[in-house]
Amino acid sequence: MRRFLRPGHDPVRERLKRDLFQFNKTVEHGFPHQPSALGYSPFLRLMAIGTRSGAIKLYGAPGVEFMGLHEENNTVMQIHFIPDQCQLVTLLDDNSLHLWSLRQHGGASELREEHHFTLKGPPGSPPSATQVTAVLPHSSREVLYLGTESGNIFVVELPSLRVLEDRTISPEAVLQRIPEDNCNRRSCELVEALQEHPKNPDQILIGYSRGLIVLWDLQNNKATQHFLGSQQLENLYWQRDGSKFISCHYDGSYTQWPVSSDNRQSEPLENTVPYGPFPCKAISKIYWQTTKNGLPYIIFQGGMPRASYGDRHSISVIHGSQQTAFDFTSRVIDFFIIFSSDPAAEFDDPSALVALAEEELVVIDLKSAGWPAVHPPYLASLHCSAITCSHHVSNIPLKLWERIISAGSKQNIHYSSMPWPIDGGTNIAPDPPQRDLLLTGHEDGTVRFWDASGVCLHLLYKLSTVRVFLTDADPNDNMNTLGEDEWPPLRKVGTFDPYSDDPRLGIQKIYLCKYSGYLAVAGTAGQVLVMELNDEDAEHVVDHAEADLLQDQEGYRWKGHEKLKTRDGPVRFEAGFQPFVLVQCQPPAVVTSLALHSEWKLVAFGTSHGFGLFDHQQKRLVFVKCTLHPSDQLALEGPLSRVKSLKKSLRQSFRRIRRSRVSSRKRRGAAGNASEVQEANAKFDQDALQEMELAPVQRKIEARSAEDSFTGFVRTLYFADTFLRDSSRHCPSLWAGTNGGTVYAFCLRVPPAERRMDEPVRAEQAKEIQLMHRAPVVGILVLDGRSTPLPEPLEVAHDLSKSPDMQGSHQLLVVSEEQFKVFTLPKVSSKLKLKLTALEGCRVRKVTVANFGSCKTDDYSENDLAVLTNLGDIQIISLPFLKLQIRYPCIRKEDVSGIASCVFTKYGQGFYLISPSEFERFSLSTKWLVEPRCIVDMPEVTSNNHVHSKSGTENAARKSSSDDFGEDERKSGRLMEHALLNDEKVLKEIQSTLEGGR
Amino acid sequence: EFRRFSLERSKPGKFEEFYGLLQHVHKIPNVDVLVGYTDIHGDLLPINNDDNYHKAVSTANPLLRIFIQRKEDADYSAFGTDTMTRKKNVLSNVLRPDNHKKKPHIVISMPQDFRPVSSIIDVDILPETHRRVRLYKYGTDKPLGFYIRDGSSVRVTPHGLEKVPGIFISRLVPGGLAQSTGLLAVNDEVLEVNGIEVSGKSLDQVTDMMIANSRNLIITVRPANQRNNVVRNSRTSGSSGQSTESSLPSSTPNILGSVLQGEEESDDEDIIIEDSGEPQQIPKAAPTSESIESLSQIELLHESTQNGFLPSSEMNLNHSAGSISMEYEVPEQGQKSLEEDGTIITL
């Protein structure tokens, strides 16, 4: 520790460090930010989602996940799987095409980009000549047809992505056989849709934007039939048998057309405006699905009456007399139908509608009566109300886990019981080592309980604190507003609801005791709720207390929000966590710290004014302590919350504006506009940059003083059974750290269990430590005689931890934003320190004790501090000697919300928000690593010249066996195959020889 | 407040007359003031007798900048100004150890009237183009008083001259510690903070480092004005660092070259512990066997009801006049800035 001794490079320790620490970003949980495209492979049963930042994510059975990122970070406009292949093609908004494939490597599949390609026109041609608007992967798997803005259809060879120039279908060729009085060159501008004939791969249907539809014979290179639509075309869909197709239009109509070789020009069979007669919005996509009972399903996006429902984002399903318009809270990006993919089957028999909206994925079960939603096992919208805080609890006891699941299942009865229909691939990751819960607090006063054990972040249970309070919006208002005769028959689906009735309900701090099932949550308006888990519905009165944190101070005026009004009388609570105590801080400032001790039955809470201790057994306030500096007017008036909320609402309204602009823009216009916008942005950035150069940013160098604002802000609270007064007797204690670098220690007297209800809990201030550097105290920890952090309450009682060493002397670790300091106890003297900021110029944002196990031996583990700094670096610092072990860059330092949202787990993992809707999961440990590992098998190769001839019957045979059984069989079969032929090349070779033999 | 007036250069008259004239011009007939002027080197020198008054007038070229200051303002209660019998002013003459001509005018009073506000250290081990300045923040209410900014500087690298980003002092607050020492100036490039190189660090990081070290800030700069560099001579090279520090009640190790940081300065580690209820002084924390570093704490009595604690401002230091790299500030706390609010006299 001499200063001349540089941090030692002890080779033994270095080796141990390699066995303990390792940094990996393992998986992204939640819903992709700004999704822009959707694709589905009925063959692989995989779904792909593309985003505006150029990411593509593939999802199959729970746990089967792949992610890829386009280098260019451009918006993904379209995703198309190559039929019967482990390959897909993406079209970006820079008009580039990218071919991706899933390849097996080291026993697991990986998503990799193979080629990319941009269509080039002849020199001098306008960019629109090659602007791709429609993509058709042909079932022969040899070519892609690319429709363009110019009306040309280019043919691109797969997998080389080379243009076959002689096969281009030009508008001139198309017009040759069409009477001139109906069509001219302009009719063939912009290819809107390309669809292959379901039975005859030599025929494709070409739809041009102005309404002309042509059936094109690829063999003879001529149009065999044409259809004159009077309305601007949006999309086309073939009926399964190829005898009819359906077109949907800009005016909100759809039209059925007969296909027969007799007629060169066909008249429409039927033209319908489903939500007419008033002008309607465009129907942008349509499905026509046949069923055994003869009544087809017609499923389409949009088409709402322009004037009264033009702002709705809907997908309508019509089946006979049943009609529902599923009403989404955010823009619908795209949707697909899962139906019988077996080409030999006579009917489509649709089973599920999968809709990707901007903020969530909604799956509707079309087989069950009432078309209920299916609860997705992944892609949860974390941000259905904005996340305000999160709390992670590792290693949940099975009993509590089951009780939470059972409480959650009672909330999910309205969901369909259908198994998750997107079930491709096989999850081969080992089972998660333990049950972990991630709790997120939300702006609308809810707490969501997520199963964070594995790759799929799955919602287990949702808790709402709203019922305790009287709010403007009565929760019953929204229920059952749908009348019988409502037209259009809208039905709200999805959970995304970004608007909070009352921002004061927002959850700020959460503390769950996994042993007792006690939960404390605290919110924006100074409310602290203590809850316990009840397996039954119950109606009871919530005990209510007020904590005046300004007790001794006078003459202050709180200018912030009012406290929440409480409901009088008993309140009905559903099974799950039910509040029994409510403490409201006065002034009702944001609760900034919270601690719960389930063994002593005490809850401590702090705000910018002070902190208090509440005995939730006797339901009595034990004490309050005002930490406010008399001159700190800012904290008193409460602008902290005001400034914050103003900023937030501004940000949100901007976001809303931006979003609505994006959504109002037409799809194909996006490319042009986007580049303009980008240019404008670039120019703006440049201007801003120049301006900055003229007036450089300055930073004031000044020491912190006691008079600074918000010094009294309570940052951390901690319960410990330690030696506070003398070294012979330990006692319960409460520690509090403030923004101004002060640590208060209170000695508590908790009556023994048998007299717990009779005697009051007493508290007495024992110590006050002022850190002279006055940096905010962000963590307090007591180390026992073996320098091990004290166990959590009840941990020892449940035999899950060694009891702490009460023989040796205890030490106090105080972590400020700038320094780590170890003090002796009970006599406080400084023992050790690490001056992080003075050394590295970074500040501590988050700190937790984490247990690291060695990947080499099971019997070694140690406790270290996991620290996230304001630069986004993660550092591991040893205990108790405060030596920096290792440092990893993790989050960009500009990503302030990412840094603020980070939570560490007890075993060296962590989560942070990479967007409002996505958590990135990372691991610092070699031992505890949760990452996706899955296999998607190569499809059987079928002969090239005729689709589905052989594989079709094979599939049919397989499908004819019972569904579940077939499923299992397929999986196990593939696993075997996989085990035998691990090498994909070998597999290919064998297959090609087999083919040759055939 | 500025006044501009003329004097006849050939007949400056007596100091008392001049003093009276100043009082008259400023309409402060019964106010005791301290008078100073800037000499050709930019040093602020006192005018308190005929000799230096005549010297001052003779150096006017053609402007003579005179600074006057109320004596009461200058009186800094913590320091025994009653012992100060003469009006005098010292500024950056330490920068020029060879310039002794004004030294005799400085009357050094009892040592306890002084405390260090800044010093130049490590003169012998740093390149002459660099300057390492230590600012003593504690014990004063004076703000550190400077700002830093991003900028670029030219470095010699193996590939020739290269423009690299750097951190520069962008502003000195009038009356602040940084400005009053005269050791730091606008556009000086900051190279190190308490021994840690700043290259590769962002402005915010350097800001945080400086604030974290604000109680004992050591900045190594490359002064924008290289004329005032310390010239090495036998006197300076002998004493690296400063000898006065040994008397600091809290500090133990000196800053030695680049072997700084981390464990060394404990002078900002003052931890005040308060025990329950009754006021009680907690004994000084003794370094345990595990921790060799000496930690110093200042423990003061105070009531449990008090929230805040003010650091001791009574840390008077012994003064050793021998160290030329030490600078003292005499109690004229509110010393006006050279450029910004002086009184200008035209001759």
Side-chain angles (χ1 to χ4, degrees):
Chain A
M1 246 160 292
R2 290 209 76 114
R3 63 196 153 94
F4 300 106
L5 287 177
R6 294 276 101 208
H9 282 281
D10 174 11
V12 178
R13 180 65 197 166
E14 291 301 310
R15 220 173 308 128
L16 183 57
K17 271 156 75 172
R18 278 198 295 279
D19 294 345
L20 292 170
F21 312 123
Q22 179 189 44
F23 180 71
N24 281 299
K25 290 188 183 177
T26 51
V27 62
E28 290 171 10
H29 295 303
F31 184 77
H33 188 50
Q34 296 185 314
S36 56
L38 176 70
Y40 177 68
S41 166
F43 178 74
L44 300 172
R45 300 179 79 80
L46 289 179
M47 167 177 68
I49 294 176
T51 73
R52 286 163 57 109
S53 53
I56 58 164
K57 294 180 166 195
L58 268 59
Y59 298 91
V64 176
E65 282 190 36
F66 300 96
M67 194 192 143
L69 188 65
H70 294 91
E71 252 172 53
E72 296 83 357
N73 292 332
N74 281 325
T75 300
V76 180
M77 304 296 288
Q78 296 185 30
I79 301 176
H80 299 272
F81 281 89
I82 311 293
D84 304 350
Q85 293 281 325
C86 282
Q87 285 186 321
L88 63 153
V89 171
T90 56
L91 171 69
L92 303 192
D93 69 349
D94 63 357
N95 204 33
S96 62
L97 284 163
H98 300 253
L99 180 69
W100 296 79
S101 53
L102 285 166
R103 288 178 179 278
Q104 290 186 11
H105 180 81
S109 295
E110 287 178 358
L111 181 65
R112 258 188 251 152
E113 188 180 338
E114 302 276 322
H115 296 292
H116 61 95
F117 156 79
T118 304
L119 197 59
K120 296 242 164 32
S125 61
S128 69
T130 53
Q131 182 71 45
V132 178
T133 52
V135 179
L136 170 66
H138 195 255
S139 58
S140 66
R141 305 187 295 268
E142 289 170 342
V143 290
L144 283 179
Y145 291 93
L146 303 176
T148 63
E149 269 185 24
S150 63
N152 282 306
I153 296 159
F154 294 92
V155 184
V156 173
E157 192 183 56
L158 281 175
S160 63
L161 295 179
R162 193 167 56 84
V163 181
L164 302 172
E165 305 229 356
D166 55 321
R167 288 173 67 179
T168 301
I169 304 166
S170 69
E172 289 74 22
V174 170
L175 287 170
Q176 257 176 8
R177 295 188 37 144
I178 293 170
E180 256 181 56
D181 50 331
N182 294 328
C183 295
N184 52 33
R185 176 67 185 78
R186 296 196 60 193
S187 306
C188 292
E189 273 176 4
L190 211 152
V191 179
E192 192 70 62
L194 287 172
Q195 294 287 338
E196 184 181 325
H197 192 287
K199 298 289 175 195
N200 179 2
D202 292 334
Q203 290 197 330
I204 60 170
L205 203 55
I206 306 168
Y208 296 97
S209 170
R210 282 173 182 266
L212 175 67
I213 305 161
V214 173
L215 185 64
W216 185 260
D217 190 318
L218 295 169
Q219 287 290 336
N220 305 315
N221 253 334
K222 63 173 184 158
T224 55
Q225 213 179 338
H226 67 269
F227 312 86
L228 288 171
S230 55
Q231 282 296 331
Q232 201 174 316
L233 183 75
E234 289 284 325
N235 220 325
L236 296 170
Y237 192 80
W238 278 103
Q239 194 169 310
R240 193 177 183 90
D241 59 6
S243 66
K244 275 187 270 184
F245 69 88
I246 192 164
S247 65
C248 58
H249 302 278
Y250 183 71
D251 66 342
S253 65
Y254 62 84
T255 308
Q256 286 183 63
W257 305 85
V259 178
S260 67
S261 43
D262 314 335
N263 284 344
R264 290 280 304 281
Q265 182 179 336
S266 298
E267 291 306 317
L269 286 173
E270 192 193 342
N271 185 16
T272 317
V273 185
Y275 295 110
F278 299 111
C280 289
K281 297 202 71 165
I283 294 180
S284 50
K285 188 171 182 176
I286 192 158
Y287 274 83
W288 179 281
Q289 301 273 286
T290 56
T291 59
K292 270 196 203 92
N293 65 18
L295 286 173
Y297 278 86
I298 301 166
I299 302 162
F300 58 89
Q301 176 187 348
M304 282 284 134
R306 196 171 276 280
S308 24
Y309 296 95
D311 58 340
R312 300 301 177 100
H313 314 289
S314 69
I315 294 176
S316 302
V317 179
I318 302 173
H319 178 59
S321 59
Q322 294 178 62
Q323 179 166 358
T324 299
F326 294 103
D327 185 11
F328 295 83
T329 52
S330 56
R331 189 168 62 100
V332 175
I333 306 292
D334 201 355
F335 73 101
F336 62 84
I337 306 296
I338 297 176
F339 56 89
S340 166
S341 59
D342 167 18
E346 202 176 332
F347 302 104
D348 291 313
D349 257 341
S351 56
L353 158 68
V354 179
L356 177 69
E358 191 144 46
E359 307 290 355
E360 61 188 330
L361 183 82
V362 175
V363 178
I364 307 285
D365 173 3
L366 296 175
K367 289 201 143 166
S368 308
W371 297 332
V374 183
H375 192 45
Y378 45 67
L379 284 167
S381 288
L382 299 171
H383 62 320
C384 26
S385 168
I387 294 181
T388 42
C389 65
S390 29
H391 175 71
H392 186 274
V393 192
S394 299
N395 223 346
I396 304 286
L398 183 62
K399 187 87 193 359
L400 179 68
W401 188 257
E402 284 170 345
R403 291 177 74 191
I404 291 173
I405 287 177
S406 118
S409 65
K410 287 177 189 149
Q411 298 179 322
N412 289 340
I413 41 173
H414 58 280
Y415 280 115
S416 159
S417 55
M418 175 195 235
W420 184 242
I422 304 163
D423 54 3
T426 312
N427 181 7
I428 55 168
D431 280 342
Q434 54 190 28
R435 289 171 298 271
D436 286 359
L437 262 187
L438 181 66
L439 280 66
T440 52
H442 298 261
E443 204 180 24
D444 63 355
T446 57
V447 178
R448 283 172 169 79
F449 289 62
W450 304 92
D451 173 1
S453 326
V455 169
C456 292
L457 193 71
H458 180 68
L459 182 65
L460 295 177
Y461 165 71
K462 178 180 136 185
L463 162 75
S464 176
T465 62
V466 181
R467 277 172 181 282
V468 182
F469 305 104
L470 276 174
T471 54
D472 302 341
D474 194 3
N476 296 326
D477 268 4
N478 306 337
M479 312 289 257
N480 307 325
T481 48
L482 198 72
E484 287 293 307
D485 311 320
E486 217 44 60
W487 186 262
L490 289 168
R491 191 173 112 198
K492 277 251 179 262
V493 282
T495 54
F496 179 71
D497 175 18
Y499 307 105
S500 166
D501 297 331
D502 190 337
R504 293 177 298 169
L505 292 168
I507 305 295
Q508 298 292 336
K509 294 285 162 192
I510 305 171
Y511 190 100
L512 171 69
C513 172
K514 62 184 177 185
Y515 304 110
S516 62
Y518 279 119
L519 172 72
V521 300
T524 306
Q527 73 272 32
V528 179
L529 284 159
V530 187
M531 316 192 195
E532 63 190 334
L533 192 52
N534 185 347
D535 300 323
E536 302 296 329
D537 287 16
E539 190 164 334
H540 61 253
V541 179
V542 177
D543 278 287
H544 179 217
E546 202 161 278
D548 181 8
L549 296 175
L550 286 182
Q551 274 197 328
D552 315 330
Q553 318 277 341
E554 272 178 25
Y556 292 133
R557 202 153 65 90
W558 168 255
K559 293 182 189 162
H561 49 234
E562 284 174 30
K563 67 170 188 175
L564 285 159
K565 288 197 184 69
T566 52
R567 253 173 223 279
D568 296 325
V571 184
R572 178 142 203 95
F573 297 101
E574 57 181 19
F577 288 94
Q578 298 175 345
F580 62 96
V581 159
L582 166 67
V583 183
Q584 286 187 293
C585 297
Q586 199 54 256
V590 167
V591 176
T592 54
S593 55
L594 180 72
L596 177 77
H597 201 292
S598 41
E599 199 171 345
W600 303 337
K601 308 261 193 296
L602 296 172
V603 61
F605 46 88
T607 72
S608 49
H609 303 98
F611 58 96
L613 180 69
F614 191 85
D615 172 359
H616 66 74
Q617 176 100 11
Q618 290 189 21
K619 307 200 166 77
R620 194 182 71 90
L621 191 65
V622 180
F623 76 92
V624 293
K625 165 88 184 170
C626 180
T627 53
L628 201 65
H629 195 277
S631 66
D632 191 356
Q633 281 297 321
L634 274 179
L636 279 166
E637 294 175 354
L640 181 66
S641 52
R642 258 188 308 168
V643 170
K644 249 191 178 166
S645 62
L646 180 68
K647 245 200 267 173
K648 202 167 196 178
S649 65
L650 273 177
R651 198 172 58 222
Q652 274 170 349
S653 50
F654 275 127
R655 206 182 293 152
R656 230 165 274 154
I657 290 167
R658 210 167 48 221
R659 224 178 254 156
S660 61
R661 263 193 214 137
V662 168
S663 53
S664 64
R665 203 192 288 153
K666 269 233 69 175
R667 184 168 41 114
R668 59 175 155 277
N673 279 347
S675 66
E676 265 170 49
V677 170
Q678 264 170 13
E679 237 168 73
N681 277 349
K683 193 174 178 303
F684 178 80
D685 286 349
Q686 216 161 29
D687 290 351
L689 211 68
Q690 271 173 353
E691 214 161 279
M692 283 211 324
E693 272 164 18
L694 287 176
V697 185
Q698 287 189 100
R699 290 281 182 273
K700 188 178 185 179
I701 307 299
E702 210 44 77
R704 266 183 290 270
S705 88
E707 280 83 42
D708 282 352
S709 284
F710 300 114
T711 50
F713 194 120
V714 179
R715 292 290 293 265
T716 183
L717 288 162
Y718 177 66
F719 285 108
D721 186 2
T722 187
F723 300 93
L724 192 55
R725 282 261 170 75
D726 57 73
S727 49
S728 54
R729 243 169 350 120
H730 58 92
C731 67
S733 64
L734 172 66
W735 299 76
T738 72
N739 223 30
T742 312
V743 175
Y744 301 94
F746 280 76
C747 188
L748 308 178
R749 216 194 66 79
V750 183
E754 60 275 15
R755 294 196 303 276
R756 183 64 179 78
M757 283 306 282
D758 309 330
E759 292 175 23
V761 175
R762 291 212 173 79
E764 204 179 340
Q765 179 164 342
K767 289 194 182 346
E768 182 179 326
I769 302 170
Q770 175 64 56
L771 303 178
M772 289 316 277
H773 63 287
R774 296 192 181 280
V777 177
V778 292
I780 298 173
L781 185 69
V782 172
L783 307 175
D784 72 3
R786 290 182 294 258
S787 294
T788 307
L790 293 185
E792 281 172 46
L794 293 177
E795 203 174 345
V796 176
H798 285 73
D799 278 337
L800 287 155
S801 168
K802 273 195 287 188
S803 43
D805 179 2
M806 290 300 192
Q807 306 306 315
S809 61
H810 283 197
Q811 298 171 67
L812 170 72
L813 170 70
V814 176
V815 182
S816 79
E817 282 192 2
E818 296 185 353
Q819 300 187 7
F820 299 79
K821 305 188 88 162
V822 175
F823 301 97
T824 57
L825 284 176
K827 200 185 76 160
V828 175
S829 61
S830 180
K831 199 170 171 190
L832 260 181
K833 64 178 174 272
L834 173 66
K835 295 168 80 176
L836 189 71
T837 309
L839 284 168
E840 298 181 27
C842 56
R843 307 169 67 85
V844 177
R845 282 282 174 265
K846 303 275 169 177
V847 60
T848 318
V849 178
N851 185 275
F852 290 94
S854 164
C855 60
K856 293 273 170 65
T857 57
D858 276 342
D859 52 359
Y860 183 82
S861 75
E862 63 176 48
N863 289 306
D864 295 281
L865 291 173
V867 177
L868 176 73
T869 73
N870 65 331
L871 303 179
D873 287 349
I874 288 177
Q875 308 200 350
I876 296 173
I877 291 168
S878 70
L879 280 177
F881 295 110
L882 302 181
K883 292 280 173 223
L884 173 65
Q885 300 298 302
I886 208 150
R887 177 190 304 132
Y888 305 106
C890 178
I891 311 177
R892 284 182 310 116
K893 70 171 180 234
E894 295 80 14
D895 184 5
V896 181
S897 58
I899 292 172
S901 65
C902 179
V903 280
F904 289 108
T905 77
K906 243 185 115 180
Y907 295 94
Q909 296 191 48
F911 301 85
Y912 67 92
L913 287 172
I914 47 176
S915 74
S917 57
E918 286 167 290
F919 271 117
E920 173 81 59
R921 185 188 195 112
F922 61 86
S923 173
L924 302 166
S925 160
T926 51
K927 202 169 177 185
W928 306 106
L929 203 68
V930 173
E931 58 184 344
R933 192 170 160 79
C934 39
I935 283 187
V936 173
D937 287 290
M938 283 291 288
E940 316 91 280
V941 177
T942 54
S943 62
N944 290 336
N945 44 19
H946 213 273
V947 218
H948 305 310
S949 62
K950 215 158 169 65
S951 73
T953 49
E954 277 166 19
N955 272 345
R958 179 174 290 164
K959 282 281 160 191
S960 63
S961 63
S962 103
D963 246 0
D964 288 356
F965 182 64
E967 191 65 22
D968 288 344
E969 191 184 54
R970 192 184 61 171
K971 276 187 180 162
S972 58
R974 283 189 181 174
L975 270 178
M976 282 288 273
E977 202 176 280
H978 167 72
L980 290 171
L981 302 165
N982 217 339
D983 193 335
E984 167 216 335
K985 262 189 194 162
V986 179
L987 191 69
K988 261 189 174 167
E989 261 173 43
I990 292 172
Q991 277 168 340
S992 65
T993 51
L994 277 174
E995 256 179 69
R998 223 180 273 160
Chain B
E1 201 184 349
F2 295 87
R3 294 287 189 280
R4 186 180 269 246
F5 58 94
S6 57
L7 270 181
E8 204 173 328
R9 189 191 285 266
S10 54
K11 275 188 236 158
K14 298 255 184 237
F15 171 69
E16 274 75 17
E17 292 167 35
F18 178 68
Y19 189 76
L21 177 65
L22 286 179
Q23 286 183 325
H24 174 71
V25 164
H26 286 271
K27 301 197 174 65
I28 42 167
N30 295 315
V31 180
D32 281 347
V33 293
L34 302 175
V35 184
Y37 75 102
T38 49
D39 75 354
I40 50 167
H41 306 294
D43 297 335
L44 187 61
L45 301 174
I47 302 179
N48 49 17
N49 58 32
D50 291 352
D51 286 346
N52 53 20
Y53 170 55
H54 290 157
K55 174 73 180 169
V57 172
S58 66
T59 59
N61 181 26
L63 276 181
L64 178 64
R65 289 178 171 195
I66 303 283
F67 301 86
I68 64 173
Q69 190 186 12
R70 290 166 84 99
K71 221 172 177 180
E72 298 95 276
D73 289 354
D75 285 353
Y76 192 58
S77 55
F79 305 93
T81 22
D82 48 327
T83 60
M84 306 288 294
T85 50
R86 299 195 202 176
K87 305 156 186 123
K88 65 205 177 319
N89 231 315
V90 186
L91 254 194
S92 32
N93 49 354
V94 282
L95 291 184
R96 30 189 66 257
D98 48 340
N99 179 9
H100 300 303
K101 60 178 176 258
K102 289 299 169 190
K103 277 228 157 161
H105 293 295
I106 304 166
V107 176
I108 309 291
S109 71
M110 296 299 287
Q112 57 266 36
D113 294 336
F114 295 86
R115 55 180 191 83
V117 293
S118 64
S119 54
I120 300 184
I121 56 175
D122 293 335
V123 180
D124 55 338
I125 52 171
L126 283 176
E128 286 185 18
T129 53
H130 295 183
R131 181 188 301 161
R132 186 167 286 166
V133 178
R134 184 170 199 164
L135 297 174
Y136 300 85
K137 166 73 178 101
Y138 60 91
T140 169
D141 293 333
K142 223 179 211 188
L144 281 171
F146 67 102
Y147 290 73
I148 57 172
R149 63 168 170 87
D150 278 318
S152 61
S153 72
V154 177
R155 292 273 163 75
V156 185
T157 67
H159 325 289
L161 291 180
E162 226 174 63
K163 226 177 172 189
V164 291
I167 304 288
F168 294 85
I169 292 174
S170 61
R171 188 152 89 86
L172 300 179
V173 177
L177 193 57
Q179 189 257 0
S180 62
T181 64
L183 298 179
L184 298 172
V186 171
N187 292 332
D188 285 0
E189 184 183 0
V190 178
L191 303 172
E192 288 175 7
V193 176
N194 289 51
I196 311 283
E197 275 194 46
V198 305
S199 77
K201 292 203 158 56
S202 71
L203 185 64
D204 288 333
Q205 271 176 287
V206 177
T207 306
D208 281 340
M209 286 167 70
M210 287 188 172
I211 291 174
N213 285 304
S214 59
R215 303 188 59 75
N216 175 31
L217 183 59
I218 300 163
I219 320 180
T220 309
V221 293
R222 190 207 318 272
N225 177 1
Q226 291 280 339
R227 287 191 307 131
N228 293 335
N229 290 336
V230 174
V231 177
R232 285 185 198 163
N233 58 30
S234 55
R235 284 190 56 186
T236 55
S237 60
S239 66
S240 85
Q242 33 146 300
S243 53
T244 48
E245 259 196 295
S246 52
S247 62
L248 282 168
S250 54
S251 107
T252 22
N254 282 333
I255 309 295
L256 291 173
S258 51
V259 192
L260 330 137
Q261 260 331 293
E263 288 85 12
E264 101 298 311
E265 344 97 42
S266 36
D267 42 358
D268 61 344
E269 296 301 319
D270 308 335
I271 310 296
I272 310 306
I273 302 160
E274 170 169 328
D275 211 344
S276 64
E278 72 276 17
Q280 179 190 341
Q281 184 158 2
I282 289 159
K284 190 165 184 160
T288 62
S289 53
E290 277 174 68
S291 140
I292 295 160
E293 60 181 316
S294 93
L295 285 158
S296 53
Q297 304 197 342
I298 297 166
E299 270 110 30
L300 293 186
L301 283 156
H302 77 286
E303 297 289 325
S304 64
T305 48
Q306 282 176 261
N307 283 341
F309 172 74
L310 284 175
S312 161
S313 58
E314 307 298 326
M315 273 191 282
N316 295 328
L317 299 167
N318 288 326
H319 157 64
S320 111
S323 162
I324 60 96
S325 59
M326 183 93 199
E327 187 188 2
Y328 295 92
E329 184 185 22
V330 284
E332 285 88 339
Q333 274 285 312
Q335 183 59 57
K336 295 287 190 292
S337 138
L338 288 180
E339 257 75 48
E340 290 178 51
D341 41 355
T343 303
I344 295 161
I345 298 173
T346 312
L347 291 171

